[in-house]
Amino acid sequence: LIVVFAYDSSVEQLAATLLQKMARRDVTALFLTPDIERSRRELATLPAWIAERTRVVPPPAETVLFGLLEIARLAVGKIAFLQMVESLALRTPFIGVSFKGYFSHEVLPRPYRKFVHATSNLGVDDETLDAAERFLRIVPTELRKIKVRRKNAE
């Protein structure tokens, strides 16, 4: 399962192109978007074998979203703090569209960075395609090895 935070058309474009370039028939994509009809029109251009494994739904309640991220093998969204951190906290690798001047994934602790790939190329370059394939091969328990350090908030 790939969860797509398709709140932005650039993320939707990146994910749709990624699905086409990966050409994997074993992947299902769930596009979360507030504008379902627009997204369905945009995704209608996908080849039939991809479209039949793609669903477009409104953003779910947080508990449902967190459940989806827990079972997902990859999340695609913006390189933005909340989407990225929620995905990583639930042990899901993340590919994000980066925008100049926005949040940088480089501020994340080093152990997390290898599970994040940032790109501004919506056409999906080889590096992004390689990252997606690598992330989909990760055994979910590999992300559990990351130690989360919590400071006492007093």
Side-chain angles (χ1 to χ4, degrees), residues 87-151:
S87 297
L88 292 172
L90 294 164
R91 309 300 193 232
T92 302
F94 190 87
I95 291 180
V97 178
S98 62
F99 298 96
K100 189 174 182 176
Y102 272 52
F103 181 80
S104 171
H105 71 291
E106 294 296 322
V107 302
L108 292 172
R110 187 172 308 278
Y112 289 97
R113 290 185 216 156
K114 71 179 182 178
F115 300 109
V116 175
H117 175 77
T119 184
S120 57
N121 182 345
L122 303 182
V124 181
D125 54 22
D126 289 342
E127 189 178 336
T128 301
L129 186 59
D130 290 346
E133 292 291 355
R134 180 170 39 88
F135 290 160
L136 288 170
R137 285 191 307 269
I138 290 175
V139 177
T141 55
E142 186 174 334
L143 280 94
R144 289 190 187 101
K145 294 176 187 174
I146 297 173
K147 301 292 184 213
V148 178
R149 294 184 189 171
R150 297 176 190 213
K151 292 186 178 182

Side-chain angles (χ1 to χ4, degrees), residues 1-20:
L1 174 64
I2 297 174
V3 172
V4 181
F5 292 97
Y7 309 146
D8 184 289
S9 61
S10 61
V11 171
E12 187 175 283
Q13 181 183 344
L14 174 68
T17 304
L18 185 61
L19 289 169
Q20 291 179 75

Side-chain angles (χ1 to χ4, degrees), residues 67-78:
L68 289 169
L69 287 172
E70 281 185 310
I71 63 171
R73 298 300 297 272
L74 175 63
V76 178
K78 273 190 200 179

Side-chain angles (χ1 to χ4, degrees), residues 24-76:
R24 291 180 61 145
R25 296 178 186 267
D26 63 338
V27 172
T28 300
L30 185 63
F31 284 71
L32 310 177
T33 178
D35 192 347
I36 294 172
E37 292 309 315
R38 184 197 56 76
S39 291
R40 284 186 178 150
R41 280 192 306 275
E42 293 294 323
L43 297 172
T45 61
L46 291 172
W49 64 272
I50 295 174
E52 69 189 22
R53 295 180 173 278
T54 303
R55 299 292 178 266
V56 178
V57 298
E62 278 190 354
T63 54
V64 175
L65 173 61
F66 296 161
L68 289 169
L69 287 172
E70 281 185 310
I71 63 171
R73 298 300 297 272
L74 175 63
V76 178

